[in-house]
Amino acid sequence: MYIRWAQRLRPQLARHVRRTSTHSSSIAMLGSDVPWETAALKEPKRCAGRTATRHRALAAHLPTEPEEPRGEPSFYSEDVDRFACIDQQPVTLQRLLETCQPPLTRQRLLENAQFLCHERPVRYARRVQLLAGLPYIVNLNPHINAVYQAYYANFEEARRFPMVESLADERRFVHMLARQSQSLKHIMPQIARGFFECRRYFGPEPRRRFLDQLVKMRIGLRLLTSQHIALYDQFQAANAAVTAVAAAEDADRYQGIVDNHLRLAEMVRVCAQGVQATCEMTYGDAPDFSIDGQLDVAFCYIPSHLDYMLTELLKNAFRASLARAEAAASSNSSNSSSVPPVAITVSKSDSR
């Protein structure tokens, strides 16, 4: 009779022991105005008293059952270590083009999805491992911890997702890719805010090394994800009778997110116009620009990546032009000096 009574009472006793023995530091942080460092470093409150001791002793002799899932992932996971040890495949432009040679067929689309099913858990595991390698006090920061949990959740979902074998599986897979990409959209601002709050515990050089690795990992995974989503959209458009003509035209120029006939001079003009407008709003003045050289150059590249690089280069050129005009104005007796224009030359290498 005692055994049957104890077995019926066991779940309530186990929950009571877990509830009274320790209190999560994250709950302490959310439930008070104490700074996160202080709340994280507090010792957990222990339940004292003979009643709790008897409950623990009784629960120790009862049949065990799986514990309730934890609210937060552990910083140490065998699954993460196992996947992080797998070699990840390098991402190159040639690799992207080989997976989507026209015409884009159902088989090629599913093969690329299966490649991502193997590759994404590996890349997520390495990000989780990178975050877990931060100092413990830094990982307890709410912003850094939120980033860790987001990556860990995506790793678990990617690891458990079944292999893509049909278009129905492919549809669910693409929805997962879009949802995970959206969940990681604001990761870098969170990292920046967390590092700002942890600047006493994490020096500039370790921060730089961490961010360099994180950004490289982020670019590679986003590139694979964006490419597959674009391929899926193009495959769907090619099979739709209404957009068959437009899809055929896009298929000749685009392979996923890769533009086969990217016109460099046109992209330079668009980027320069954007930088010029930003410069005007920020400094109240902006130099003119001119584009010369081989204006008909076209090549195969990813427009979003080239747009970012050109924008950063042109921002430096426009700022330098304004600084030169300001230095000339301060050295002259007059208060005004004309801003020299930015000259942009497009050139193609002889070896290409």
Side-chain angles (χ1 to χ4, degrees), residues 39-188:
L41 294 176
K42 279 185 177 179
E43 288 290 332
K45 298 179 181 179
R46 299 288 180 180
C47 177
R50 288 176 296 178
T51 303
T53 303
R54 287 198 301 269
H55 287 169
R56 292 193 192 96
L58 179 59
H61 294 284
L62 298 179
T64 59
E65 68 177 18
E67 291 189 3
E68 298 174 2
R70 302 287 184 177
E72 298 180 2
S74 170
F75 288 129
Y76 305 100
S77 169
E78 293 182 358
D79 292 327
V80 170
D81 293 339
R82 178 164 53 87
F83 276 91
C85 291
I86 302 175
D87 292 334
Q88 66 182 28
Q89 299 299 316
V91 181
T92 63
L93 186 60
Q94 182 179 2
R95 166 71 178 80
L96 295 178
L97 294 176
E98 287 175 353
T99 60
C100 57
Q101 288 292 332
L104 179 60
T105 62
R106 172 183 177 276
Q107 183 62 28
R108 286 183 177 176
L109 184 66
L110 295 182
E111 287 176 356
N112 194 60
Q114 292 166 1
F115 166 74
L116 288 183
C117 284
H118 289 290
E119 187 71 10
R120 284 171 58 81
V122 175
R123 292 177 177 268
Y124 273 130
R126 295 197 174 193
R127 289 203 213 179
V128 172
Q129 207 173 54
L130 179 66
L131 284 161
L134 291 172
Y136 186 69
I137 187 64
V138 176
N139 256 318
L140 291 179
N141 178 273
H143 306 291
I144 304 298
N145 190 258
V147 173
Y148 175 87
Q149 292 192 47
Y151 277 131
Y152 192 93
N154 285 358
F155 163 74
E156 283 293 329
E157 186 178 17
R159 179 177 70 88
R160 298 173 184 274
F161 196 90
M163 186 57 62
V164 177
E165 302 289 351
S166 64
L167 288 180
D169 296 339
E170 168 69 12
R171 190 178 303 107
R172 290 191 296 271
F173 184 65
V174 169
H175 289 167
M176 182 194 71
L177 296 182
R179 184 179 65 257
Q180 289 190 349
S181 296
Q182 187 65 24
S183 70
L184 302 176
K185 187 176 181 180
H186 303 293
I187 286 297
M188 297 312 294

Side-chain angles (χ1 to χ4, degrees), residues 264-265 268 289-295 297 310 313-314 342-348:
L264 182 57
V268 168
F289 67 90
S290 61
I291 304 175
D292 57 21
Q294 297 172 304
L295 303 182
V297 170
L310 288 175
L313 289 173
L314 291 172
V342 174
I344 308 169
T345 301
V346 178
S347 178
K348 180 179 179 181

